[in-house]
């Protein structure tokens, strides 16, 4: 079977670009007995429910017209905003997150920690630098990008 994620991305990207939306992420997952095709979209100023419906209807129509059907089993299509804690995946995501508060989960501990929250101070192809708060002081922590399991925007409390 051809990769569902690639097919969906190829179908929806021109439509999203035409409407000045960004494709944040596509996932096709099984949860319990059900399959879910999820698209997370965004734009400057945020996405609203009507825009999610517009993309959902477009994609549903296009997928239904494909022969052979790339997803022959039953599934739920969900289109939504990535939310306030949007994932950081692409270079553009990191650029937009510069000087913002983020959460990073690591594969291997750095300075005894596998998770950090702080302000993204700098990044390049090899690493990123976070300014994190340890009790009453701030410290810069450098993290290799190959050690990052997940990164996302975070809400500071």
């Amino acid at each position: 079977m051809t990769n569902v994620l690639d097919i969906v991305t190829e179908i929806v990207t021109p439509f999203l670009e035409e409407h000045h939306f960004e494709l944040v992420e596509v996932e096709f997952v099984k949860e319990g007995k059900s399959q879910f095709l999820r698209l997370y979209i965004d734009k400057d100023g945020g996405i609203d429910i009507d825009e999610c419906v517009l993309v959902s209807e477009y994609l549903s129509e296009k997928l239904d017209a494909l022969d052979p059907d790339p997803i022959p089993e039953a599934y739920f299509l969900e289109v939504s905003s990535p939310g306030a804690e949007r994932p950081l995946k692409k270079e553009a995501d990191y650029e937009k997150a510069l000087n913002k508060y983020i959460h990073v989960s690591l594969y291997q501990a750095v300075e005894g920690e596998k998770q950090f929250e702080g302000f993204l101070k700098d990044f390049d192809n090899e690493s990123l630098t976070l300014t994190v708060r340890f009790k009453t002081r701030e410290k810069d922590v450098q993290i290799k990008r190959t050690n990052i399991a997940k990164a996302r925007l975070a809400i500071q409390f």
Side-chain angles (χ1 to χ4, degrees):
M1 178 165 103
T2 308
N3 188 334
V4 170
L5 303 180
D6 291 340
I7 291 170
V8 169
T9 300
E10 185 177 323
I11 290 170
V12 80
T13 297
F15 184 79
L16 295 175
E17 289 173 352
E18 177 184 325
H19 289 84
H20 306 287
F21 300 156
E22 173 192 359
L23 180 61
V24 175
E25 187 173 13
V26 179
E27 59 182 24
F28 186 56
V29 295
K30 185 172 184 164
E31 294 178 3
K33 294 181 180 179
S34 301
Q35 296 269 55
F36 291 88
L37 175 59
R38 292 192 178 112
L39 274 76
Y40 298 95
I41 61 173
D42 206 359
K43 70 172 186 187
D44 288 339
I47 228 69
D48 66 32
I49 189 77
D50 293 331
E51 292 163 329
C52 290
V53 169
L54 178 73
V55 173
S56 178
E57 289 174 349
Y58 171 83
L59 182 58
S60 181
E61 181 181 307
K62 292 296 184 184
L63 287 173
D64 288 347
L66 291 179
D67 188 26
D69 190 344
I71 312 171
E73 64 271 15
Y75 65 94
F76 294 96
L77 173 61
E78 297 177 352
V79 178
S80 68
S81 161
E85 295 188 334
R86 112 181 232 157
L88 305 177
K89 298 204 174 248
K90 302 175 273 195
E91 287 304 300
D93 297 336
Y94 283 96
E95 287 175 23
K96 289 179 187 174
L98 204 53
N99 300 314
K100 292 187 179 168
Y101 197 73
I102 69 169
H103 176 93
V104 180
S105 299
L106 306 177
Y107 293 116
Q108 295 180 347
V110 171
E111 298 185 18
E113 301 290 331
K114 287 187 79 174
Q115 295 186 37
F116 289 95
E117 283 195 2
F119 290 92
L120 180 58
K121 183 177 179 179
D122 193 20
F123 73 96
D124 59 29
N125 290 336
E126 302 296 318
S127 64
L128 51 98
T129 303
L130 288 182
T131 300
V132 297
R133 181 170 213 102
F134 288 105
K135 297 183 182 176
T136 59
R137 62 184 177 90
E138 288 185 347
K139 178 180 179 181
D140 286 349
V141 176
Q142 191 168 32
I143 301 168
K144 291 184 189 243
R145 295 212 31 196
T146 55
N147 192 22
I148 298 173
K150 290 185 180 181
R152 62 173 168 74
L153 292 176
I155 298 171
Q156 184 180 15
F157 292 99

